[in-house]
Amino acid sequence: MHDHERHTPPVVPRWRERLGQYLILMRADRPIGWLLLLWPTWWALWLAADGLPPLWILFVFTAGVWLTRGAGCVVNDYADRWLDPHVKRTRERPLATGRVSGREAKLLFAGLMLVAFALVLTLNVLTIALSFIGLLLAATYPYLKRHTHLPQVYLGLSFGWGIPMAFAAVQGTVPAVAWVLYAANILWTTAYDTWYAMVDRDDDIRVGSKSTAILFGELDLVIQGVLYTLFFLGMVLVGRRAELGMWYWAGLGVAALLVIWEFMLVRHRDRDACFRAFLHNHWVGTAIFAGIAIDLALR
């Protein structure tokens, strides 16, 4: 065998290359966004069912989280295709480099949302009706950074919409505790996505994009402290309304300690530290879910 034959890389079929680009566009290789969306949905499912939810409903919402998160990433990159080439962290994304076209992105978004909607159609009428609001939130979120400094708040509205949908699917109604949990999750999402926005703050200012990190300015850590405090107060109300016990409060306590560590990590506002703090919120969500699940299982 000749040397050039021995070292020639294997030819990748075009369909596999395209699929790989689509998965990258969906952030399928980066599960953090999926997990941050999954935990609040599972909080709601377990609270609504007073324990392990019906398995089909659990499957629909878990798969739906993956599908809608992927669709959200696609539409976000489509909206940001003018911005991403100028930001160090995003300049290699498929739409920014031209490896995926705008038309392909729109078709991928539509396909993902159709599959998610097909799953929702197996649930009750109220859940189906609420899904249309979720679609509107997911499709419009990426354009907020052009017009307001509060896209992180709108992300909270979008990311948390699975909470009222979960209660609707399990109970056929959306009780007050669901809306308290939804409000608390908006605060949490705004806070952890502000860590993320702090990574890109300099680039966003340069290209004219907007975020809470820019809005908060030098008061960012103070306002972050307020947001996280209000989030935990909201989760205290959830625990009291749901009459949760010791294990829930232990999980919430662990989550609070994890957030304190985040503030220690970002005290100098280093970009890498802010990104690590953002990723770290996965463990915050995990701790709270563990508290809910164990407490309900041991009743």
Side-chain angles (χ1 to χ4, degrees):
M1 182 181 291
H2 297 295
D3 286 344
H4 77 275
E5 292 176 327
R6 191 163 49 241
H7 297 294
T8 299
V11 177
V12 179
R14 178 170 171 77
W15 69 267
R16 186 176 296 176
E17 191 274 335
R18 302 313 299 158
L19 177 61
Q21 292 300 321
Y22 296 155
L23 290 173
I24 293 172
L25 183 59
M26 294 166 55
R27 312 284 199 281
D29 58 331
R30 298 183 180 183
I32 182 63
W34 177 71
L35 291 168
L36 290 171
L37 183 54
L38 180 70
W39 291 127
T41 305
W42 277 17
W43 301 345
L45 285 171
W46 258 256
L47 288 172
D50 203 29
L52 181 68
L55 293 182
W56 177 251
I57 292 178
L58 178 60
F59 169 75
V60 168
F61 276 86
T62 302
V65 162
W66 189 84
L67 290 163
T68 54
R69 186 261 179 163
C73 291
V74 172
V75 74
N76 180 76
D77 283 10
Y78 179 79
D80 284 353
R81 63 195 185 281
W82 58 275
L83 169 65
D84 285 347
H86 306 288
V87 178
K88 180 179 180 181
R89 185 179 50 80
T90 60
R91 64 180 53 156
E92 294 302 319
R93 288 178 176 175
L95 276 168
T97 60
R99 292 192 298 268
V100 173
S101 69
R103 181 175 179 274
E104 287 177 296
K106 288 187 286 186
L107 289 172
L108 180 59
F109 171 77
L112 291 168
M113 294 306 294
L114 282 173
V115 175
F117 185 61
L119 290 173
V120 172
L121 287 176
T122 66
L123 305 177
N124 59 40
V125 173
L126 178 58
T127 310
I128 295 170
L130 290 173
S131 72
F132 286 100
I133 300 175
L135 171 61
L136 177 66
L137 290 170
T140 55
Y141 153 71
Y143 297 93
L144 266 290
K145 65 188 71 176
R146 302 183 187 184
H147 308 292
T148 174
H149 282 95
L150 301 174
Q152 283 67 36
V153 178
Y154 201 78
L155 181 67
L157 293 169
S158 179
F159 258 33
W161 195 248
I163 292 172
M165 286 183 63
F167 276 89
V170 174
Q171 298 185 359
T173 186
V174 185
V177 68
W179 296 114
V180 176
L181 184 61
Y182 180 56
N185 187 68
I186 293 171
L187 292 164
W188 182 46
T189 306
T190 302
Y192 71 62
D193 203 51
T194 297
W195 292 142
Y196 193 74
M198 288 169 68
V199 177
D200 294 335
R201 178 157 45 191
D202 293 340
D203 289 329
D204 286 343
I205 291 172
R206 180 168 50 82
V207 299
S209 188
K210 299 177 181 179
S211 71
T212 48
I214 296 171
L215 177 66
F216 297 164
E218 294 180 356
L219 293 176
D220 48 9
L221 296 184
V222 174
I223 298 176
Q224 284 286 80
V226 172
L227 288 172
Y228 273 109
T229 299
L230 291 175
F231 161 61
F232 281 108
L233 287 175
M235 296 307 293
V236 168
L237 290 176
V238 169
R240 292 176 64 86
R241 277 188 166 271
E243 299 180 346
L244 297 173
M246 174 186 67
W247 289 103
Y248 172 74
W249 300 113
L252 202 61
V254 170
L257 292 175
L258 291 171
V259 169
I260 290 171
W261 182 83
E262 290 174 19
F263 277 88
M264 294 175 61
L265 184 65
V266 303
R267 62 189 182 277
H268 300 303
R269 298 178 175 86
D270 177 74
R271 291 176 66 147
D272 290 340
C274 290
F275 188 64
R276 288 173 60 196
F278 162 72
L279 296 174
H280 191 255
N281 278 272
H282 156 57
W283 298 109
V284 175
T286 304
I288 294 173
F289 172 72
I292 292 172
I294 294 172
D295 196 85
L296 293 175
L298 296 180
R299 278 187 173 183

